[in-house]
Amino acid sequence: MAVMSSSLPVLVLRLAAVASSVLAALGQSVRGATETAVAAAEYPMTTVPTNPNSNLAIAALVASAVVVPAMGIGAMLAAKEKGWWGACALISGLITLLWAYYAYLAL
């Protein structure tokens, strides 16, 4: 029985070596397939898409450069009239809006 117990690990190692050799031999047939797929995926676009609605970008720039600062100045002037409570509400409101936005993005 001592002879069989020592030959079991040798048998397992031989089977593992044969299995790895078979896998290596089978892997040779698909070796070029990945290179072909990578070459095809490198340049998938042949034409550059254009957006005919370029006025939307100009409107977004105007909104971010004019409307947002005007609303900010208006909110600060309204908060200034209320003293300390206005400043507290302004800061707390901005923090709450930012928190709600990040909570929405996390959904």
Side-chain angles (χ1 to χ4, degrees), residues 7-106:
S7 66
L8 184 62
V10 173
L11 181 64
V12 170
L13 286 175
R14 284 185 183 171
L15 285 175
V18 169
S20 66
S21 297
V22 168
L23 286 175
L26 291 174
Q28 293 294 328
S29 64
V30 294
R31 186 169 297 231
T34 57
E35 295 168 359
T36 306
V38 168
E42 254 182 67
Y43 301 105
M45 293 181 57
T46 56
T47 60
V48 178
T50 59
N51 187 0
N53 299 326
S54 62
N55 292 335
L56 188 61
I58 294 171
L61 285 173
V62 169
S64 65
V66 176
V67 175
V68 173
M71 288 176 55
I73 291 171
M76 286 188 281
L77 288 174
K80 185 178 181 180
E81 293 174 2
K82 296 179 182 169
W84 174 249
W85 289 107
C88 180
L90 181 65
I91 293 169
S92 300
L94 289 174
I95 291 171
T96 303
L97 286 175
L98 189 66
W99 181 86
Y101 175 71
Y102 284 146
Y104 175 75
L105 288 180

